[in-house]
Amino acid sequence: MTASAIVTAAMLAIGDELLSGRTKDKNIGHLAEVLTLSGIDLKEVRIVADDEAAIVAALNALRGAYTYVFTSGGIGPTHDDITADAVSRAFGVECVHDPDAMTLLGDMYKRREMEFTEARRRMARMPIGARHIPNAVSTAPGFIIGNVYVMAGVPQVFQAMLNAVLPQLETGAKVISRSVRSPFGEGDIGGPLGEVQKRHPETSIGSYPKFDGQSFSTELVIRARAEEALDAAEADILAMLATITAARSSGSADA
Amino acid sequence: MTASAIVTAAMLAIGDELLSGRTKDKNIGHLAEVLTLSGIDLKEVRIVADDEAAIVAALNALRGAYTYVFTSGGIGPTHDDITADAVSRAFGVECVHDPDAMTLLGDMYKRREMEFTEARRRMARMPIGARHIPNAVSTAPGFIIGNVYVMAGVPQVFQAMLNAVLPQLETGAKVISRSVRSPFGEGDIGGPLGEVQKRHPETSIGSYPKFDGQSFSTELVIRARAEEALDAAEADILAMLATITAARSSGSADA
């Protein structure tokens, strides 16, 4: 893929425990950081319950809209782990005990002198024809079908699987960013900052308020795909801040 | 609403910073916990960028499907705060400087001897006819239109706004839960646990693996809307665990 192409992604986090508040998700923020650093734009995230219809509907909406979809959760050995079935249904293919995954897991349990129970065999189930995502932490693989990457919900395993697939992904022009600290609050700079944004449409300028307990300041984050665009917007913001500073110190309304 | 009615909700978290990984969301888990305790079922969460088309599409999908929709983010004073415009567009109504909000904010800045800039006036904008959500932390109100509750992204403000609206919400039969600790791993209990789930369709039994560094155990969480259903499923699970324990200690395959 060329350096100027834009590669997009969505995430589908699956699990009742995320929606009941029992478990606080740790995978969304991690995926967001890793994809941003890799030059893949995470555009949308959805969280749904362990509910086949909900998973199928969300997955079909997302896989048609973005380059990649990453899922987390629901690939363990118990009855509430239904992600493999739901993904198979979304693609209209059969969900089977993958022979290679059966061998991998069978050998592992044999080494550990543990019974390869029916429940453990469930972890070998995936849509027919899916490719494995290796699991360096606990062996049971994730899988890839089409543009969908199905990974575990346990953060250590999710991260290991993501590390395993990352080198295979197409990546686009990286979004680079630069922070400028404004000593003024958002309410003071909001107007002129909007003008700066209009003059630099190839950048995206985010404004994040800070409060130190006494006064407000603002962190401005400029994002763009080209260094020159960042440079130009940064210079414009610094000039704007200098104008406000001069106006305040001279006591006049305009510098 | 009767105690047996089911009240549902979705959350729409809005902000580029959540998708770039710069900010780790803290509102989803909080909302999930609070709604669960209140008897409102959080069924779906979406995260989208500060992008009008994306916000409108997600909001229109969610507000048609669930009793309530709660949004977070994008209601500050800067150009990237576009939630009020997007929500107005989703409802097909004009976005205006709400007169009551203008008075509220104007008075506050007057007291604090701060200029009521054009940027600060942006925080008074909302769909025409919307009702305020009070903001005990920093004055600028959120708003309610239809079944959509538009709240701030800063967690302290989001929480204050949620506290303010919670007493007004209809609530349904509370989902109650009980935890049972299994000394066995998911792979050992997965088969019989699935049978227990089938015998208790009015409950939802979640299985959460634990690893203490040496061996696996499992936390089983039974959820239901009636105490008797919890009691029955719990008794069935305890009997199942006793059977496995007896089988293991006698060394026989079946107890």
Side-chain angles (χ1 to χ4, degrees):
Chain A
M1 186 150 286
T2 68
S4 65
I6 292 175
V7 179
T8 61
M11 174 166 181
L12 178 60
I14 298 164
D16 291 351
E17 69 279 15
L18 301 172
L19 295 170
S20 71
R22 183 190 170 280
T23 301
K24 303 288 178 289
D25 169 84
K26 292 200 174 74
N27 297 323
I28 297 171
H30 178 77
L31 181 71
E33 266 182 18
V34 169
L35 293 183
T36 300
L37 289 171
S38 305
I40 297 173
D41 291 5
L42 182 62
K43 302 293 272 183
E44 182 173 352
V45 176
R46 297 193 190 183
I47 307 176
V48 296
D50 298 308
D51 174 290
E52 189 167 293
I55 299 169
V56 170
L59 193 62
N60 281 339
L62 296 173
R63 71 189 179 95
Y66 305 106
T67 316
Y68 296 114
V69 180
F70 300 91
T71 80
S72 66
I75 61 169
T78 56
H79 65 277
D80 56 343
D81 291 303
I82 61 164
T83 298
D85 292 279
V87 172
S88 301
R89 187 159 147 215
F91 279 87
V93 300
E94 206 187 338
C95 189
V96 297
H97 286 90
D98 179 83
D100 291 342
M102 287 294 280
T103 304
L104 196 68
L105 288 169
D107 288 352
M108 188 261 288
Y109 287 116
K110 197 170 181 181
R111 275 199 310 278
R112 291 166 61 187
E113 297 181 344
M114 289 167 74
E115 193 190 345
F116 192 21
T117 59
E118 184 53 42
R120 293 192 172 108
R121 283 168 207 257
R122 271 180 74 81
M123 294 190 286
R125 294 176 77 248
M126 57 183 74
I128 195 162
R131 288 177 291 141
H132 288 201
I133 299 176
N135 171 355
V137 175
S138 52
T139 309
F143 60 84
I144 306 167
I145 175 167
N147 61 342
V148 176
Y149 291 68
V150 176
M151 308 196 286
V154 176
Q156 301 92 309
V157 184
F158 180 87
Q159 291 168 24
M161 288 182 174
L162 182 60
N163 290 344
V165 298
L166 213 52
Q168 309 166 24
L169 302 176
E170 295 182 53
T171 56
K174 254 178 232 186
V175 172
I176 47 180
S177 69
R178 200 171 298 164
S179 275
V180 180
R181 201 179 157 282
S182 154
F184 310 111
E186 285 193 309
D188 289 312
I189 60 167
L193 184 68
E195 296 305 316
V196 172
Q197 173 68 83
K198 274 183 206 153
R199 286 195 295 272
H200 300 272
E202 70 289 14
T203 70
S204 162
I205 305 174
S207 169
Y208 307 101
K210 305 258 173 210
F211 185 64
D212 66 6
Q214 291 211 314
S215 63
F216 281 95
S217 62
T218 312
E219 187 186 0
L220 300 171
V221 179
I222 317 163
R223 278 172 295 173
R225 292 183 201 276
E227 201 75 47
E228 309 76 57
L230 280 189
D231 290 342
E234 183 184 28
D236 212 347
I237 287 175
L238 291 173
M240 173 196 86
L241 295 175
T243 304
I244 299 175
T245 305
R248 298 224 162 176
S249 60
S250 73
S252 78
D254 200 17
Chain B
M1 189 149 288
T2 66
S4 64
I6 292 174
V7 179
T8 60
M11 174 167 181
L12 179 60
I14 299 164
D16 291 353
E17 69 278 17
L18 300 172
L19 294 170
S20 72
R22 181 191 171 277
T23 301
K24 303 290 179 286
D25 169 84
K26 291 198 175 74
N27 297 323
I28 297 171
H30 177 76
L31 182 70
E33 266 183 19
V34 169
L35 293 183
T36 300
L37 289 172
S38 304
I40 296 173
D41 290 6
L42 181 63
K43 301 293 272 183
E44 183 172 349
V45 176
R46 297 194 191 182
I47 307 176
V48 297
D50 297 308
D51 174 289
E52 189 166 292
I55 299 170
V56 169
L59 193 61
N60 281 339
L62 296 174
R63 72 189 179 93
Y66 305 105
T67 316
Y68 296 114
V69 180
F70 301 91
T71 79
S72 67
I75 61 169
T78 57
H79 65 277
D80 55 343
D81 291 304
I82 61 164
T83 297
D85 292 281
V87 173
S88 302
R89 191 163 144 211
F91 278 87
V93 301
E94 207 187 335
C95 189
V96 298
H97 287 90
D98 178 82
D100 291 342
M102 286 294 281
T103 304
L104 194 71
L105 288 168
D107 288 352
M108 188 261 288
Y109 287 116
K110 198 171 182 183
R111 276 198 310 278
R112 293 166 61 184
E113 297 181 342
M114 289 167 74
E115 193 188 346
F116 192 22
T117 58
E118 185 52 41
R120 293 191 174 110
R121 284 168 206 258
R122 273 179 72 82
M123 293 190 285
R125 294 176 77 250
M126 56 184 75
I128 196 163
R131 288 177 291 142
H132 289 200
I133 298 176
N135 170 354
V137 176
S138 53
T139 307
F143 60 84
I144 306 167
I145 176 168
N147 61 341
V148 176
Y149 291 70
V150 176
M151 308 196 285
V154 176
Q156 300 93 307
V157 185
F158 179 87
Q159 290 168 24
M161 289 182 172
L162 182 60
N163 290 344
V165 298
L166 213 52
Q168 308 165 26
L169 302 176
E170 295 182 54
T171 55
K174 254 178 231 184
V175 172
I176 48 180
S177 69
R178 200 171 297 164
S179 273
V180 180
R181 203 179 156 281
S182 154
F184 310 111
E186 285 194 309
D188 287 312
I189 61 168
L193 184 68
E195 296 304 316
V196 172
Q197 172 70 81
K198 274 183 206 155
R199 284 195 296 271
H200 300 272
E202 71 287 15
T203 69
S204 161
I205 305 172
S207 168
Y208 306 103
K210 307 256 171 211
F211 184 63
D212 66 5
Q214 291 210 314
S215 64
F216 281 94
S217 61
T218 311
E219 187 187 359
L220 301 171
V221 179
I222 317 164
R223 278 173 294 175
R225 292 183 201 275
E227 201 76 44
E228 309 76 59
L230 280 189
D231 290 343
E234 184 184 27
D236 211 349
I237 287 175
L238 291 173
M240 172 195 89
L241 294 175
T243 303
I244 299 176
T245 305
R248 296 223 163 176
S249 59
S250 76
S252 79
D254 200 13

